[in-house]
Amino acid sequence: MSETTTAVEATVRLRGISKTFSNGTTAVSKLNLDLEPGSFVSLLGPSGCGKSTVLRMIAGLIDPSEGEVTGSREAGRIGFVFQEPTLMPWGSALANIRLPLDLAGVKPAEANARARDALAQVGLEGFADAYPRELSGGMRMRVSLARALTTEPDILLLDEPFAALDEITRFKLNNDLLALWQAKRFTAVFVTHSVFESVYLSQRVVVMAARPGRVSDDLAIETDLARGEEFRTSADYAQLCRRASEALERAMAS
Amino acid sequence: MSETTTAVEATVRLRGISKTFSNGTTAVSKLNLDLEPGSFVSLLGPSGCGKSTVLRMIAGLIDPSEGEVTGSREAGRIGFVFQEPTLMPWGSALANIRLPLDLAGVKPAEANARARDALAQVGLEGFADAYPRELSGGMRMRVSLARALTTEPDILLLDEPFAALDEITRFKLNNDLLALWQAKRFTAVFVTHSVFESVYLSQRVVVMAARPGRVSDDLAIETDLARGEEFRTSADYAQLCRRASEALERAMAS
Amino acid sequence: DDELQDATLYIGWRAEAEFGGFFQALATGLYEKHGLNVEIQLGNPQSNPAQQLIAGKVDFTVGSSGTALNAAREGAPIAAVAAMFQKDPRIMVGHPGQGYESLEDMVGHTAYVGALGMATFWPFLREEFGFSDENVKPYTFSIVPFVADETAIQQGYATNEPHALHMAGIENPVAFLLHDYGYRPYAVNVMARQDDIANRPDFVQSFIDASIEGWQDYLHGDASPGNALIKERNPDMEDDVLEFALETIRQGGFVDAEDAAELGIGAMTDERWREFYDTMVSAGALPGDIDISKAYTLQFVNNRVGLQ
Amino acid sequence: MNKTSPLRRFGLPIGLGILTLIVWEGCVQALNVSPFLLPGPVAIYHALVDDWGLLSEALLVTLQITGLAFVCAVLGGGLIAVLFSLSRSVETTLFPYAVIMQVTPVVAIAPLLIIWIDNVRLALLACAWLVAFFPILSNTTVGLNSSDHNLRDMFRLYGATTRQTLFRLRMPSAMPYFLTGVRISGGLSLTGAVVAEFVAGTSGQGSGLAYRILEASYQLQTPRMFAALLLISLTGVLIFLATSFISQRILGRWHESAMEREK
Amino acid sequence: MNKTSPLRRFGLPIGLGILTLIVWEGCVQALNVSPFLLPGPVAIYHALVDDWGLLSEALLVTLQITGLAFVCAVLGGGLIAVLFSLSRSVETTLFPYAVIMQVTPVVAIAPLLIIWIDNVRLALLACAWLVAFFPILSNTTVGLNSSDHNLRDMFRLYGATTRQTLFRLRMPSAMPYFLTGVRISGGLSLTGAVVAEFVAGTSGQGSGLAYRILEASYQLQTPRMFAALLLISLTGVLIFLATSFISQRILGRWHESAMEREK
Ligand SMILES: Nc1ncnc2c1ncn2[C@@H]1O[C@H](COP(=O)(O)OP(=O)(O)OP(=O)(O)O)[C@@H](O)[C@H]1O
Ligand SMILES: Nc1ncnc2c1ncn2[C@@H]1O[C@H](COP(=O)(O)OP(=O)(O)OP(=O)(O)O)[C@@H](O)[C@H]1O
Ligand SMILES: [Mg+2]
Ligand SMILES: [Mg+2]
């Protein structure tokens, strides 16, 4: 891949990363991955292949047992949508979304306004005061997404953010995410199980294989079409999806 | 719909069901639904439209504020895969799967054997002794699925069981579920966000609309083809999927 | 030969010289001679001997005159049957060199007084000498706070604190016996149930007589059997402590001076009871309408037992 | 605790109370138990009414110390727990000393406290505090360590300061534990105040219920003693109800132990 | 608590202890404090060695009551909590009475207990139990009500009996709370045993540490008193460490408060 020049920030580099948990499970083994600033990369792979573990290492939440992660800490602000909603049960939806803003010292009035915007963006206008336990599974995940979006991160890590959503909401949020990315050009790492989604969203699809987790394929998604309905119905898209599907099948067979 | 004659058990009937939670949210309003014994019904609908709430009312976990649910309690054993994995954090994967068997007084040796089978079926052979926190999101969901399958239920309620899984694992489990259903002919209610999945699996797709939750469409999936790869690649399938997608769009627009 | 009758004496405190006569009687077989098989039960400062007696757990207890008067006031079915101490050894002590000539000089000093003291002698001191509640600090069965404060005074027993203070390095502490200042209850009263007094007078009489003989022997004979028994029951007891207490009791005539000199150990008189009661009434510690004849009986004492 | 109808919440225990009192009185009457050993409710009631002036004054004194000790236990226990939570080393180093403070018998150190602390009230307060602070400390420490690991990760990621993590994550997570500790310490403050007064004594005026109990016991006024005990019991129950109510209000909307389940 | 290296776990507090002792001895020497008021560690050590026979015997007595009271508190507190958890009505009805038991001053009822309960040992045990049981009861009750609502639903669905739900769901969920209660009660059993002995024990042979303290205090053998206090403190710390260790073992694999985090 060629170096893009849009970025001022450093490339996130994972070099010979392995992770063995204290119970002996090796989740990731000798993984190399470079994430260029401003790129949108999808991680695709079977359940349990170490995708979440890789994201956590990029974010610096866990340390690799071997190898080194560079560039992510220097990059600035990191946003993370965990695989589980990870909401504070004692806070309303709005309070949960406001959290990163509050932590960053944003003024209450502004924080409220921004949080309400984010809430509207994920289609939850009426639920600002609802507590997490009063929300459906998909709604909780959307609150979690909204929380990550308010932060205007430099690196955004998304761990299956749309898995619990219906296709129409999902399409809408896909487009919203894409628009946001195009506007802000943060580095995005997107874990998904949907081949279609990965192709639709990203510039590059990294396919992982399991036991131990490693990179098995790395597909560039090159198209001249602007992302959108046009792309989704194009022959390019269908072909790219087919290639990604095959890569996934290879990864699972290996 | 015509009465099927395969069943000895009662039809599950939801008559004029409404549910308003104590915080004032009306999740479901005046919903009618009959589930014939041995049928496989999918629930499709936007996030927050009340699918989980309907399942919980069928299972008798919450009572409708209005209307009546009949037939489910008399039907016998109910299996439920919750939207969240709902595992006991203090028990190993095996212990979690064994739970319903232990509760039913199955002998330890037999319970262990059956639980191990179920674990293998969901592709988690090596993880019998792992604690939930040592499993990935998808693995946890598979443990939860395995738990429901061991019980040999008369009614099986599945709330997005495959949302956190990659497509290949998902296809496999789709087929496993189908085979099990064909063998045992329990009544299955399957919540999913995947139109394809719903058409592939079920005899009937009920599409729900949100705010308040209600039935907006009820599609019979009629085909002469046996479910399997053949069906999945057929024109029938493509057409049925298109119809279901349209119904979902209508539901969301309403 | 008659069977020995069982009798229990509850002293409600640890074994020490203040109860030496009882231990002496037990150690030298005086109780058996009077047909009794006596057991002495120890207790702690928080226990309530009167309740034990009323409940029938024990046959005799050691109490103060105040207890007897309170029992009369409340109509409790117990009474004092003998007073082993003619003089209450209660003192107020102070550090030397503070210019105390008499009890009055202690007024105004910080005073360590226990909770029960507040209900017994303190009202008397307050009324008669102008001691003030404001100066009172709680006494917790430890003389440490007092030792630490040169100007403080504290409650004590003539038989104990002066020696303890001596051991703590305070030579010649100043002590005033409250008895000498008009606070004149009996002490170490033997209490018994009215029921026994009425229905088993011989039993009570035997116990009293044997105890008196025990005291007589403890003070004027060889005290070592009693002391040995005390030390057996209280392994912490030191010889010098025992010795000091015994000497004090002997020299101060606590047991055998005053009325006891003529009437024998254990002596009680209506006049003394009346006098003490009046003191307490005028101090405001007791109401004026108690029928004090219920508090005690003279039927077992004043028989010159043990006197030649 | 979930919401129960006020009728049941108060009716049932009060009903049982009345029943107990009736049986108690019946037994005392039937067995002719000496009032010096166990007075019946009627006698206790009369003592309560007759000595109300004396007892209510003493109650006030005890309440003051209880209240102060409780406040100090909540603040002290909570703050020490927070201190401990800031560093594992601090916790490891100091927790054994907190345990020593808990187990050191008030009876033994009362004389020393009286020397070191000139003010008797203050000494009593210190004793009562010693009795009451530990459950809050212990519970809160566990609670502060019980916050969800994913949420902790999220806070770290968003650059939360130690202070922010403490106030916004660990403290809310610790709430159910903390509040349970508070409910235990509420009663212990009262016990502590009474025990302190017993062993560290009271000075003449302004003595509390413990002194009244001692005095009544000495004077063989057992009904009065029970009346004083009754006041202590009632105070304890009131403290418990108050702390439970506060706990319910704070946790009601989100914690399993307090939430009402949807039916 | 998370795992800390044994060196830090024991080294730090012991280091602080040694430092404190040195400073203490230094101050006592430098200021020439009378050993009657505050003996230095050396004097205490000598007392401990000299009076070891007396003290160890007393320690044994106190330990027996502490141990029994602790076992009874764990069993009693736990069982009552389970009883309460079975029915909201039972809980509502009886909890105020548990509170009354907690707040009733042992010091006040000890003389009566001794009359009602013929055996002194038993009376002591009852007193110590009264002091120790409540934190376990209170914590366990909250814990039993804190189980995850979805898991509860699952149990209901699979037709779990009350008993099964109790043993397989509510008890494991209550563990972190229960064990915190146990750690509090460990110390309280000791305190309770000492207080009980102080108020209800008899003097003389076969008496425990409380009596030795009183006696030593009475006889101005302050170093011996401190030696007895030291034994009590050490016992308390040992109980705490033991209960913490058990707690760590039980919760280590799953509960946030005890789990080691992956790094
Ligand atoms: N805390 C942990 N302790 C031990 N093993 C762990 C831990 N977390 C994850 N693992 C193991 O590491 C492997 C990878 O887990 P990870 O969560 O990264 O998978 P994933 O690719 O995100 O899967 P999914 O798509 O199901 O979420 C799994 O085998 C899992 O069992
Ligand atoms: N316990 C509750 N208290 C209050 N409101 C609730 C509660 N549970 C669900 N709701 C509300 O009921 C509606 C339906 O929720 P439900 O969980 O049934 O949706 P769903 O169709 O399962 O959505 P999803 O696909 O996102 O899981 C939502 O608006 C939700 O906010
Ligand atoms: Mg994952
Ligand atoms: Mg749902």
Side-chain angles (χ1 to χ4, degrees):
Chain A
M1 266 154 294
S2 63
E3 290 276 312
T4 57
T5 49
T6 49
V8 277
E9 296 97 355
T11 306
V12 177
R13 279 179 222 278
L14 285 74
R15 281 288 137 77
I17 296 292
S18 298
K19 178 69 191 179
T20 302
F21 286 104
S22 56
N23 70 348
T25 311
T26 298
V28 174
S29 170
K30 305 212 178 65
L31 180 134
N32 291 307
L33 193 64
D34 283 10
L35 304 169
E36 279 141 51
S39 67
F40 198 121
V41 178
S42 283
L43 277 185
L44 208 58
S47 169
C49 72
K51 304 179 294 295
S52 301
T53 306
V54 168
L55 287 199
R56 296 176 87 82
M57 286 191 289
I58 294 177
L61 293 176
I62 51 177
D63 297 327
S65 330
E66 244 177 68
E68 240 194 329
V69 179
T70 55
S72 55
R73 261 165 249 210
E74 305 77 44
R77 202 175 279 284
I78 300 181
F80 202 143
V81 182
F82 288 103
Q83 195 166 4
E84 271 102 45
T86 316
L87 303 177
M88 301 179 291
W90 54 84
S92 65
L94 194 74
N96 269 288
I97 296 176
R98 275 181 47 164
L99 179 77
L101 303 175
D102 290 348
L103 292 181
V106 175
K107 289 210 193 68
E110 190 195 333
N112 260 334
R114 279 167 65 181
R116 279 189 190 278
D117 284 353
L119 205 57
Q121 199 170 11
V122 297
L124 290 175
E125 293 85 357
F127 292 90
D129 295 330
Y131 278 67
R133 67 175 178 97
E134 298 167 348
L135 298 175
S136 79
M139 290 158 94
R140 262 180 285 207
M141 217 42 227
R142 283 185 276 164
V143 171
S144 170
L145 183 71
R147 179 177 58 194
L149 294 182
T150 46
T151 55
E152 310 202 335
D154 298 311
I155 300 181
L156 183 58
L157 308 170
L158 301 116
D159 201 349
E160 304 187 34
F162 305 141
L165 298 178
D166 59 282
E167 284 176 13
I168 294 168
T169 309
R170 197 165 178 154
F171 284 165
K172 175 188 176 302
L173 289 175
N174 275 348
N175 289 334
D176 288 354
L177 179 62
L178 217 44
L180 197 67
W181 174 69
Q182 273 153 353
K184 305 273 159 90
R185 280 287 162 159
F186 45 80
T187 308
V189 186
F190 188 90
V191 172
T192 180
H193 284 307
S194 165
V195 171
F196 307 109
E197 197 167 67
S198 69
V199 172
Y200 181 64
L201 288 174
S202 47
Q203 302 177 302
R204 186 177 151 206
V205 174
V206 175
V207 181
M208 288 181 66
R211 281 171 224 173
R214 61 197 184 279
V215 173
S216 101
D217 252 307
D218 196 335
L219 310 172
I221 306 298
E222 278 160 355
T223 172
D224 299 330
L225 295 167
R227 309 288 164 123
E229 270 317 292
E230 195 189 357
F231 177 53
R232 209 198 284 274
T233 50
S234 70
D236 268 20
Y237 178 71
Q239 199 220 325
L240 285 164
C241 285
R242 210 167 316 118
R243 274 181 50 204
S245 272
E246 283 159 17
L248 185 59
E249 257 166 78
R250 274 198 303 280
M252 299 212 51
S254 70
Chain B
M1 271 153 293
S2 64
E3 290 275 314
T4 57
T5 49
T6 50
V8 277
E9 295 97 355
T11 306
V12 176
R13 281 178 220 278
L14 284 75
R15 281 286 138 74
I17 296 293
S18 298
K19 177 69 189 176
T20 301
F21 286 105
S22 56
N23 69 349
T25 312
T26 298
V28 174
S29 171
K30 306 214 177 64
L31 181 136
N32 291 307
L33 193 65
D34 283 11
L35 304 169
E36 279 142 47
S39 66
F40 198 120
V41 177
S42 282
L43 278 185
L44 208 58
S47 169
C49 73
K51 303 179 295 295
S52 301
T53 306
V54 167
L55 287 199
R56 297 176 86 81
M57 287 192 287
I58 294 176
L61 294 176
I62 51 175
D63 297 326
S65 329
E66 244 177 66
E68 239 193 331
V69 180
T70 55
S72 56
R73 262 166 250 211
E74 304 78 43
R77 203 175 280 284
I78 299 181
F80 202 143
V81 182
F82 287 102
Q83 194 165 4
E84 271 101 46
T86 317
L87 303 177
M88 301 179 291
W90 54 83
S92 65
L94 195 75
N96 269 289
I97 296 177
R98 275 180 48 165
L99 179 77
L101 302 175
D102 291 348
L103 292 180
V106 174
K107 287 206 195 72
E110 190 195 334
N112 259 334
R114 278 167 66 182
R116 279 189 191 280
D117 285 353
L119 205 56
Q121 199 170 13
V122 297
L124 290 175
E125 293 86 357
F127 292 89
D129 296 330
Y131 279 66
R133 67 176 180 98
E134 298 166 349
L135 298 174
S136 80
M139 290 159 94
R140 262 179 287 209
M141 216 43 227
R142 282 184 278 162
V143 171
S144 170
L145 183 69
R147 179 177 57 195
L149 294 182
T150 48
T151 54
E152 310 201 336
D154 298 311
I155 299 181
L156 183 58
L157 308 170
L158 302 115
D159 200 348
E160 304 187 34
F162 305 140
L165 299 178
D166 58 282
E167 283 177 10
I168 295 167
T169 309
R170 196 166 178 154
F171 282 166
K172 176 189 174 303
L173 289 175
N174 274 348
N175 289 333
D176 288 354
L177 180 62
L178 215 46
L180 197 70
W181 175 70
Q182 271 151 358
K184 304 273 159 88
R185 281 288 163 157
F186 45 79
T187 310
V189 186
F190 188 89
V191 171
T192 181
H193 283 307
S194 163
V195 171
F196 307 108
E197 198 167 68
S198 69
V199 171
Y200 181 65
L201 288 173
S202 48
Q203 302 177 304
R204 186 175 151 208
V205 174
V206 174
V207 181
M208 287 181 66
R211 284 177 221 169
R214 61 199 186 277
V215 173
S216 101
D217 251 308
D218 195 335
L219 309 171
I221 305 298
E222 278 160 355
T223 172
D224 299 330
L225 296 168
R227 307 289 163 122
E229 272 317 293
E230 196 189 357
F231 176 52
R232 209 198 282 276
T233 50
S234 69
D236 268 21
Y237 178 68
Q239 198 221 326
L240 284 164
C241 284
R242 207 167 319 120
R243 274 182 49 204
S245 272
E246 283 160 16
L248 184 59
E249 257 166 82
R250 272 200 302 280
M252 298 210 53
S254 71
Chain C
D1 226 340
D2 284 335
E3 285 266 300
L4 292 181
Q5 271 185 293
D6 287 333
T8 329
L9 169 67
Y10 181 71
I11 61 174
W13 190 221
R14 54 185 194 159
E16 52 186 23
E18 282 84 342
F19 310 103
F22 304 111
F23 286 100
Q24 182 84 358
L26 184 58
T28 57
L30 285 170
Y31 285 126
E32 278 175 37
K33 214 179 85 194
H34 284 266
L36 296 175
N37 174 30
V38 169
E39 184 201 344
I40 300 181
Q41 283 185 5
L42 312 181
N44 72 64
Q46 309 288 337
S47 63
N48 191 335
Q51 278 175 338
Q52 304 256 15
L53 187 60
I54 294 168
K57 293 264 162 186
V58 296
D59 301 309
F60 302 99
T61 60
V62 172
S64 68
S65 296
T67 309
L69 291 174
N70 273 311
R73 164 193 182 172
E74 297 299 323
I78 55 175
V81 290
M84 292 307 173
F85 274 46
Q86 298 299 309
K87 303 201 270 181
D88 189 349
R90 174 73 65 199
I91 53 173
M92 291 304 294
V93 280
H95 290 261
Q98 298 288 322
Y100 304 129
E101 298 287 337
S102 71
L103 187 60
E104 287 88 341
D105 298 330
M106 289 180 164
V107 174
H109 289 255
T110 299
Y112 288 96
V113 179
L116 282 186
M118 296 305 298
T120 51
F121 64 84
W122 187 257
F124 164 79
L125 292 180
R126 190 169 49 207
E127 221 44 47
E128 295 291 316
F129 297 94
F131 283 88
S132 160
D133 283 359
E134 280 157 35
N135 297 321
V136 174
K137 280 191 159 194
Y139 173 61
T140 58
F141 301 98
S142 164
I143 62 172
V144 168
F146 166 73
V147 170
D149 181 358
E150 286 247 297
T151 65
I153 58 170
Q154 79 150 40
Q155 70 176 48
Y157 280 103
T159 48
N160 198 308
E161 269 72 12
H163 180 68
L165 289 168
H166 166 76
M167 297 303 291
I170 298 174
E171 297 296 339
N172 306 314
V174 186
F176 300 112
L177 190 67
L178 297 193
H179 182 87
D180 299 337
Y181 289 85
Y183 180 73
R184 285 161 45 83
Y186 293 118
V188 195
N189 294 277
V190 176
M191 311 277 300
R193 273 186 300 281
Q194 303 277 19
D195 175 41
D196 278 348
I197 295 170
N199 302 322
R200 301 167 71 198
D202 295 345
F203 170 71
V204 178
Q205 188 69 62
S206 304
F207 182 80
I208 298 296
D209 288 350
S211 301
I212 291 172
E213 286 169 23
W215 272 107
Q216 184 73 24
D217 193 34
Y218 187 62
L219 293 177
H220 303 298
D222 173 15
S224 50
N227 283 343
L229 188 55
I230 287 174
K231 286 181 67 177
E232 185 191 318
R233 301 293 302 276
N234 183 1
D236 300 74
M237 182 53 78
E238 308 276 350
D239 284 329
D240 55 334
V241 175
L242 262 182
E243 191 53 38
F244 178 84
L246 182 51
E247 256 339 281
T248 307
I249 294 170
R250 277 182 184 145
Q251 277 169 17
F254 282 96
V255 173
D256 51 6
E258 305 208 346
D259 292 338
E262 286 153 38
L263 303 173
I265 294 175
M268 301 192 293
T269 64
D270 291 322
E271 295 73 32
R272 259 296 281 286
W273 276 106
R274 169 59 61 189
E275 179 201 331
F276 176 60
Y277 173 57
D278 289 343
T279 313
M280 293 306 272
V281 172
S282 65
L286 285 174
D289 57 354
I290 301 175
D291 175 6
I292 63 165
S293 66
K294 296 262 167 35
Y296 62 94
T297 169
L298 303 182
Q299 98 185 69
F300 303 103
V301 289
N302 305 344
N303 299 329
R304 300 180 51 83
V305 172
L307 292 184
Q308 274 70 44
Chain D
M1 252 148 287
N2 298 10
K3 254 181 230 163
T4 329
S5 74
L7 191 72
R8 301 187 86 195
R9 175 144 219 161
F10 294 102
L12 281 175
I14 292 175
L16 177 66
I18 292 172
L19 195 75
T20 311
L21 292 181
I22 291 172
V23 172
W24 179 356
E25 184 71 40
C27 285
V28 165
Q29 299 263 355
L31 302 176
N32 213 356
V33 179
S34 156
F36 297 102
L37 302 181
L38 182 67
V42 173
I44 297 172
Y45 171 76
H46 283 306
L48 190 63
V49 172
D50 292 349
D51 300 325
W52 178 246
L54 209 64
L55 290 174
S56 60
E57 212 176 280
L59 176 63
L60 228 60
V61 173
T62 302
L63 278 185
Q64 272 173 18
I65 295 175
T66 303
L68 274 173
F70 187 37
V71 170
C72 294
V74 170
L75 291 180
L79 286 180
I80 299 177
V82 165
L83 180 75
F84 284 5
S85 79
L86 295 182
S87 145
R88 175 81 37 200
S89 299
V90 172
E91 182 186 328
T92 322
T93 312
L94 295 183
F95 216 121
Y97 296 92
V99 175
I100 290 177
M101 281 168 66
Q102 184 207 15
V103 300
T104 299
V106 168
V107 250
I109 54 155
L112 296 176
L113 278 180
I114 285 175
I115 301 177
W116 296 334
I117 305 174
D118 209 35
N119 184 322
V120 175
R121 268 293 154 82
L122 223 58
L124 289 183
L125 183 59
C127 289
W129 182 80
L130 274 180
V131 173
F133 86 102
F134 192 76
I136 295 192
L137 168 62
S138 189
N139 263 21
T140 311
T141 301
V142 172
L144 288 171
N145 288 327
S146 291
S147 51
D148 182 74
H149 283 191
N150 279 332
L151 274 172
R152 272 196 242 177
D153 282 347
M154 214 194 54
F155 271 74
R156 241 177 86 195
L157 210 62
Y158 288 133
T161 60
T162 310
R163 193 199 168 91
Q164 287 174 325
T165 310
L166 183 67
F167 280 96
R168 290 168 169 272
L169 172 62
R170 304 180 71 172
M171 281 190 178
S173 307
M175 267 298 150
Y177 286 87
F178 171 72
L179 290 170
T180 312
V182 167
R183 292 203 294 177
I184 297 171
S185 286
L188 280 185
S189 304
L190 181 59
T191 318
V194 174
V195 170
E197 202 190 322
F198 256 102
V199 296
T202 352
S203 47
Q205 305 152 309
S207 45
L209 283 173
Y211 176 70
R212 292 295 160 213
I213 288 175
L214 263 180
E215 186 193 50
S217 160
Y218 169 73
Q219 297 183 345
L220 283 176
Q221 294 174 317
T222 320
R224 190 202 283 182
M225 176 179 137
F226 271 84
L229 284 176
L230 177 71
L231 288 180
I232 292 176
S233 299
L234 287 182
T235 308
V237 172
L238 282 180
I239 293 176
F240 178 78
L241 289 180
T243 47
S244 296
F245 177 75
I246 292 170
S247 172
Q248 173 67 38
R249 290 303 293 266
I250 294 180
L251 300 181
R253 276 203 82 176
W254 70 274
H255 193 257
E256 273 83 359
S257 68
M259 232 158 59
E260 205 180 353
R261 300 186 58 194
E262 295 284 350
K263 258 286 172 187
Chain E
M1 254 149 284
N2 297 7
K3 255 182 227 161
T4 329
S5 75
L7 190 73
R8 302 187 84 193
R9 176 143 220 162
F10 294 103
L12 282 176
I14 291 174
L16 178 66
I18 292 172
L19 194 76
T20 312
L21 292 181
I22 292 172
V23 172
W24 178 355
E25 183 71 38
C27 285
V28 165
Q29 301 263 351
L31 301 177
N32 213 357
V33 180
S34 155
F36 298 108
L37 298 183
L38 181 67
V42 174
I44 296 171
Y45 172 76
H46 284 304
L48 190 62
V49 173
D50 292 348
D51 300 325
W52 179 246
L54 210 66
L55 289 175
S56 60
E57 210 176 280
L59 176 64
L60 229 63
V61 173
T62 302
L63 277 185
Q64 272 174 19
I65 294 172
T66 303
L68 273 174
F70 187 36
V71 170
C72 294
V74 171
L75 291 180
L79 287 180
I80 298 176
V82 165
L83 180 76
F84 284 5
S85 79
L86 294 182
S87 145
R88 176 81 36 200
S89 300
V90 172
E91 183 187 328
T92 322
T93 312
L94 294 183
F95 217 121
Y97 295 92
V99 175
I100 290 178
M101 280 167 67
Q102 183 208 16
V103 298
T104 300
V106 166
V107 258
I109 56 156
L112 292 175
L113 272 184
I114 288 183
I115 293 174
W116 296 333
I117 304 174
D118 213 30
N119 186 323
V120 175
R121 264 300 151 81
L122 222 61
L124 288 184
L125 184 59
C127 288
W129 182 80
L130 274 180
V131 173
F133 86 102
F134 191 78
I136 296 192
L137 168 61
S138 189
N139 264 20
T140 312
T141 302
V142 172
L144 288 171
N145 289 327
S146 291
S147 52
D148 181 75
H149 283 192
N150 278 332
L151 274 172
R152 271 196 243 176
D153 282 347
M154 212 195 55
F155 271 73
R156 240 177 87 196
L157 209 62
Y158 288 133
T161 59
T162 310
R163 193 198 169 93
Q164 286 173 326
T165 310
L166 183 67
F167 280 95
R168 291 167 169 272
L169 173 62
R170 304 182 70 171
M171 281 191 180
S173 306
M175 267 298 151
Y177 285 87
F178 171 72
L179 290 170
T180 312
V182 166
R183 293 204 293 175
I184 298 172
S185 286
L188 280 186
S189 304
L190 182 58
T191 317
V194 172
V195 170
E197 201 189 321
F198 176 66
V199 296
T202 44
S203 45
Q205 294 154 313
S207 47
L209 284 173
Y211 174 69
R212 294 288 156 226
I213 288 175
L214 264 182
E215 189 63 41
S217 151
Y218 206 70
Q219 297 185 355
L220 268 188
Q221 294 170 317
T222 320
R224 188 199 285 180
M225 174 178 137
F226 272 84
L229 280 177
L230 178 71
L231 288 180
I232 291 176
S233 297
L234 286 181
T235 308
V237 172
L238 282 180
I239 293 176
F240 178 78
L241 289 179
T243 47
S244 295
F245 177 75
I246 293 171
S247 171
Q248 174 66 38
R249 290 302 293 268
I250 295 180
L251 300 181
R253 278 201 81 178
W254 71 272
H255 193 257
E256 274 83 0
S257 68
M259 231 158 60
E260 204 180 352
R261 300 186 59 194
E262 297 283 352
K263 255 288 167 186

